[in-house]
Amino acid sequence: MKVNFFHLMPYPYLPDDFDDVEKYPSPSLTFSNAHFDPAIGVDLYHRYLDELEYAEAVGFDGIVVNEHHQSAYGTMPSPNIMAAALARRTSRATIMVLGNAIPLRGNPLRVAEEIAMLDHLTKGRLLSGFVRGIGWEHFGHSINPADSRTRFNEAHDLIKKAWTEPGPFSWYGEHYEYRYVNIWPRPLQQPHPPIAVPGAGSPETMRWVAANHYTYVSVYAPTKVVKTWFDGYRAAAADLGYVPEPEKIGMALPVFVGEDDASAHREARQYVEWLFHRGLRQGLEIVFPPGYMSPAAMKGLLKANLKAYPELSYEELLEHGYVVVGGPEQVRNRLGELRDELGFGQLMAMLTIGAMPADMVRRNTEIFAREVIPELKRAPVPVSS
């Protein structure tokens, strides 16, 4: 089991009346950046980088950054900048960029160049994730959501070819044209850094990730739904004649470890509710706009009949597996159950939950590293076929 520290870098200082849904329907896209205080933001960025560096110091295998735009939910429009900041301040952990939203990029060749540079700065400790970006992020970049998947596929193919084939060569595709593709530097890891792709149940994504032998990573969903995603990925791999290693399956999950069960729930509740009731308060029309999902993917989403995140109580979030909270023994047992049921070999533990203060994040990270990681690493991950 590989255990990684995943950070969203939220902006937690929302208005006092933010629970007025009519006034503030979402913390993203239309939520004015007048609410962002640069004097607070500068301290937050340095605090969050400190938390990632501390995770390496206490034994996490990887530290994870990601990309979001025009949102208080996550303030990393350029995860590559954060990865560069971490590269010289860390020495052992894999730096996981999960990931670059390549359909949003007008120049995906720049992504190929930046990731190649990061691969050298990290001395080969880099994982490169690719994501499509959330629906609202396409609106924020004036990109038709219906073009998201074809832009993603073409940008990926261009980046991968730029990494692996000697240049110069030309590229004339549906969305991108380059007379010369000849990136300097080439990646340090050969043929390229390992690649991971988050998925939310789209059959097309499962098949595509399996066909490329990449790592498939879940996003927020009930355990029973995540199981269908992982089983779908394994089935797609089986159709191609192979069984993916457990390390090719990643589970992203908010986790809080307290001194005991009672104090853990008492402390974590407000921050779990901040994440799901405020940070993830997004209307379906901006998360899944028309054309963003295929008919098959939309059918699967509707069939799952999931509640919107803000409609879930704290107790329901726990019961259905959106989050794990408890004392060390409870968290160890619950994560072990999830590992055995779902068969994932990488955990992306989100230990900075919502508006959680720095001292609590530090304590959560330290207890998790001391009391939970050794047990997770001790037991083998079941290989499912």
Side-chain angles (χ1 to χ4, degrees):
M1 170 77 76
K2 293 288 183 68
V3 184
N4 311 301
F5 183 103
F6 190 125
H7 217 308
L8 287 167
M9 297 194 180
Y11 186 83
Y13 301 101
L14 303 180
D16 292 339
D17 60 345
F18 190 79
D19 290 333
D20 183 341
V21 178
E22 291 190 5
K23 186 175 182 180
Y24 302 110
S26 168
S28 306
L29 191 65
T30 58
F31 180 56
S32 174
N33 62 6
H35 296 288
F36 180 87
D37 183 342
I40 292 174
V42 65
D43 290 336
L44 279 176
Y45 276 129
H46 286 277
R47 170 199 149 180
Y48 290 156
L49 288 168
D50 287 345
E51 290 171 355
L52 286 156
E53 293 167 17
Y54 181 68
E56 183 198 53
V58 296
F60 283 78
D61 296 296
I63 48 180
V64 188
V65 294
N66 78 334
E67 177 175 336
H68 284 298
H69 296 269
Q70 302 185 30
S71 179
Y73 164 69
T75 60
M76 272 186 283
S78 178
N80 297 344
I81 288 179
M82 291 305 179
L86 292 164
R88 291 292 302 274
R89 300 270 296 175
T90 59
S91 60
R92 178 191 53 79
T94 300
I95 295 178
M96 311 174 86
V97 179
L98 196 66
N100 276 282
I102 51 179
L104 306 181
R105 305 301 179 90
N107 181 10
L109 204 58
R110 180 63 179 261
V111 177
E113 294 171 328
E114 290 179 0
I115 292 296
M117 288 180 66
L118 283 170
D119 202 25
H120 286 271
L121 288 175
T122 62
K123 298 184 178 179
R125 292 184 291 122
L126 185 73
L127 177 141
S128 175
F130 294 132
V131 299
R132 286 176 59 198
I134 301 175
W136 84 70
E137 294 171 330
H138 292 72
F139 293 146
H141 288 77
S142 296
I143 291 172
N144 186 344
D147 291 335
S148 176
R149 185 166 295 278
T150 56
R151 288 175 66 93
F152 177 92
N153 290 344
E154 184 181 341
H156 162 270
D157 292 349
L158 170 60
I159 291 167
K160 189 172 180 180
K161 185 173 181 179
W163 284 342
T164 57
E165 295 192 16
F169 60 84
S170 299
W171 182 276
Y172 298 102
E174 178 184 358
H175 299 289
Y176 308 107
E177 293 187 3
Y178 295 91
R179 186 175 179 183
Y180 299 102
V181 178
N182 185 33
I183 67 165
W184 288 67
R186 296 168 54 225
L188 177 62
Q189 297 177 84
Q190 293 295 312
H192 55 74
I195 293 172
V197 177
S202 163
E204 298 87 356
T205 299
M206 295 173 192
R207 290 192 293 267
W208 185 87
V209 176
N212 284 283
H213 292 248
Y214 295 158
T215 297
Y216 183 84
V217 182
S218 69
V219 295
Y220 311 106
T223 302
K224 66 177 183 179
V225 173
V226 174
K227 187 175 190 309
T228 67
W229 298 350
F230 289 169
D231 286 348
Y233 171 65
R234 283 186 282 258
D239 290 342
L240 296 165
Y242 79 97
V243 176
E245 300 172 357
E247 197 173 310
K248 292 290 187 179
I249 299 176
M251 176 84 170
L253 189 66
V255 181
F256 183 77
V257 194
E259 298 294 341
D260 53 54
D261 291 351
S263 65
H265 291 294
R266 188 169 57 250
E267 292 180 303
R269 177 186 288 266
Q270 65 175 303
Y271 305 113
V272 170
E273 290 177 342
W274 190 101
L275 173 61
F276 287 94
H277 297 171
R278 290 181 159 203
L280 289 167
R281 190 168 78 205
Q282 322 286 350
L284 285 179
E285 71 281 359
I286 68 168
V287 177
F288 303 118
Y292 178 79
M293 300 181 75
S294 70
M298 181 59 73
K299 181 180 178 181
L301 177 68
L302 295 175
K303 186 177 179 181
N305 194 30
L306 301 177
K307 286 185 177 181
Y309 297 128
E311 297 174 3
L312 293 160
S313 68
Y314 175 74
E315 289 74 19
E316 287 175 314
L317 290 164
L318 290 169
E319 177 187 353
H320 297 300
Y322 288 91
V323 62
V324 171
V325 176
E329 182 177 5
Q330 171 64 20
V331 171
R332 285 194 299 265
N333 292 342
R334 182 61 179 140
L335 291 176
E337 292 169 357
L338 291 171
R339 174 200 61 214
D340 294 344
E341 179 181 357
L342 302 176
F344 58 88
Q346 295 220 46
L347 175 65
M348 316 298 183
M350 305 168 72
L351 302 180
T352 304
I353 302 174
M356 189 173 286
D359 60 336
M360 191 177 292
V361 172
R362 176 65 66 103
R363 178 160 49 89
N364 189 23
T365 305
E366 192 277 326
I367 297 175
F368 188 94
R370 185 184 71 241
E371 301 289 346
V372 179
I373 288 180
E375 185 63 28
L376 291 177
K377 288 185 168 294
R378 206 171 351 257
V381 180
V383 178
S384 302
S385 59

